[in-house]
Amino acid sequence: MERELIIDVTTSEIAIALLEDRRLVELTKENVSSNYSVGDIYLGKVKRILPALNAAFIDVGNEKDAFLHYFDLGFHFNLLNSYVKKAQQNQRPVVTAPKSGDQILPKGGKITDVLTQGQAILVQIVKESISTKGPRLTAEISIAGRNLVLLPFSDKVSISQKIEQREERKRMERLVRSIIPQGFGVIVRTVAEGKKTATLAPELNALIKRWESCADKIRSSRPPQLLVSEINRTSAILRDMLNVTYNNIYVNDTSLYEEIKEYVGSIAPEQAKIVKLYTGKDPIFERFNISKQIRGSFGKYVSLRNGAYMIMEQTEALHVIDVNSGRTRGVKTQEEQAIEVNMVAATEVARQLRLRDIGGIIVVDFIDMDKQENRNKLFTHMRTLMENDRARHNVLPLSKFGLMQMTRQRVRPATQINNNEQCPACRGTGKIIPSILFDEMLQNQLVYLTQEKKIKHLTLKLHPYMAVYLNSGIISRRRRWAWQNGCRLRIKATNSYALLEHQWFDKNGDKIII
């Protein structure tokens, strides 16, 4: 499978598209002005305690207070809380691992026994603001790297379940325990499989330095205050996704190109050559046919092959996908047709979940099938497709009503792209100028361009009907206008234009905005 990462940098955002065999499967947009992202660590202040929910609202500087549940405090919150208090008193606290005598938060405890209003608390964002809800927080701090995740106030070394060989798991645990300082735990990520001390030790030291910088800021900060910012989403995606071989990574910004190339070279020197700077004239998303795929993939209706289609509806916490056979024709039986359409739809559903980053509860209404073996076949197919999804998910078998229920991890709002275009004739007003005045308007624009703008070579693109109208006659309107204004005027018919749509271009083919 050919995998390519295309990165489009503009003044307002960075868009990252993942292509598999030239087909768009993931699209991420990072707003340059965004101040909150998953992984950021804050010194927050308890704003309000809700005993009924066993939770609290925390002020982290967002316009919406963040939400922290008792279960997200962690068993060893007392160690973290003591550390923060000492740091605010200008002491130099030491990160310690939990001991048998330490007070552990009980599972059935109450948040009112732990937090007080106005208290300073160290928290980390685990879910961005979605709809009317503020960010979701945790007090179990973790700092992620490419191979390791650092856990302060812990003594555990956890190995990714995807590292299956027993010998390799034991080797990784021995290696990490030999280099990790006291008071810290570590999660070993899948990509670390086979790595040596020379690779893991420098990364561990870098993660510890990030934590130490956080501790230093606590002493001089007043809540709410950002202490440690997660690396930008571009680098985070590369960090998390570069566990497979990419064929190419294209980026259209020189500074980001250098940053990505250096980053890739540091973690996988043999892959540094795949990072390429795009310098073409066409927009990078147009060059790789991404813009067209976006326009065709983000609507309410998603077309499938053979006339089938899906309808996608969204509420705040629930997404519903309805599969329809449409005008599918053939000599097959109804059961054969249903399983064929459902298998194609399942492939598109798995793609849409990744592409739109849909999370929460998803219900898919597949076409009804009578045979249990076909139901099982569809369920197995969907689970296989979802294995390529990096987000945590759970897929249930089809219910007796033919519904497949899924849950998918949601840490940020689903990607929504409005692919409706403004009517070129009325400009969204619902009204157009009288057609009898159209040529008069064009003539006035021509006078403005030739007399005021001093442009003497012009091309006018418009609907074929209007092109014939302006070119007809022995002395056509085009010839008369060109002679009157002392310019060269070319009329070009364009089939894609609406009846009264038009556009002016100069001799270099550049569009003229009037």
Side-chain angles (χ1 to χ4, degrees), residues 471-500:
N471 280 319
S472 61
I474 297 176
I475 302 179
S476 65
R477 287 173 174 76
R478 180 189 66 81
R479 289 178 181 271
R480 186 169 67 250
W481 291 353
W483 177 77
Q484 291 174 345
N485 294 282
C487 68
R488 294 184 62 181
L489 176 60
R490 180 183 173 214
I491 303 294
K492 185 175 181 181
T494 306
N495 293 326
S496 61
Y497 278 25
L499 180 62
L500 300 184

Side-chain angles (χ1 to χ4, degrees), residues 12 49 68 77 82 103 111 113 137 147 158 165 169 188 204 277 284 307 344 351 486 496 500:
S12 60
I49 298 177
L68 176 66
F77 174 75
S82 175
Q103 184 180 359
I111 200 164
D113 297 333
L137 303 177
N147 299 288
S158 302
Q165 294 184 3
R169 295 177 65 86
V188 180
L204 180 62
L277 178 65
I284 188 169
V344 173
R351 171 178 173 260
S496 61
L500 300 184

Side-chain angles (χ1 to χ4, degrees), residues 433-450:
I433 65 170
S435 56
I436 194 172
L437 301 179
F438 183 62
D439 62 338
E440 182 179 340
M441 181 189 68
L442 294 178
Q443 189 174 6
N444 291 337
Q445 291 180 356
L446 180 61
V447 171
Y448 170 75
L449 293 174
T450 55

Side-chain angles (χ1 to χ4, degrees), residues 354-368:
R354 296 172 63 190
L355 183 59
R356 305 191 191 203
D357 199 13
I358 293 175
I361 302 172
I362 303 107
V363 178
V364 187
D365 182 11
F366 286 104
I367 300 174
D368 291 339

Side-chain angles (χ1 to χ4, degrees), residues 273-285:
K273 61 183 179 181
I274 69 175
V275 185
K276 300 174 182 179
L277 178 65
Y278 176 78
T279 57
K281 293 183 178 179
D282 296 330
I284 188 169
F285 272 18

Side-chain angles (χ1 to χ4, degrees), residues 43 83 87-88 90-93 208-221 227-228:
L43 181 64
Y83 184 93
Q88 287 191 309
N90 290 323
Q91 301 180 25
R92 285 197 166 271
I208 292 175
K209 286 183 179 179
R210 290 188 67 193
W211 164 256
E212 291 174 346
S213 70
C214 170
D216 291 338
K217 291 179 181 178
I218 293 176
R219 285 190 285 272
S220 58
S221 300
L227 301 180
V228 175

Side-chain angles (χ1 to χ4, degrees), residues 43-45 59 88 118-121 221-225:
L43 181 64
K45 181 170 67 173
D59 180 12
Q88 287 191 309
Q119 174 183 343
I121 180 173
S221 300
R222 288 186 177 182
Q225 178 66 47

Side-chain angles (χ1 to χ4, degrees), residues 146-163:
R146 173 166 169 77
N147 299 288
L148 306 172
V149 179
L150 183 69
L151 306 174
F153 307 103
S154 176
D155 58 356
K156 294 183 179 180
V157 174
S158 302
I159 312 296
S160 168
Q161 295 295 325
K162 293 183 179 180
I163 300 178

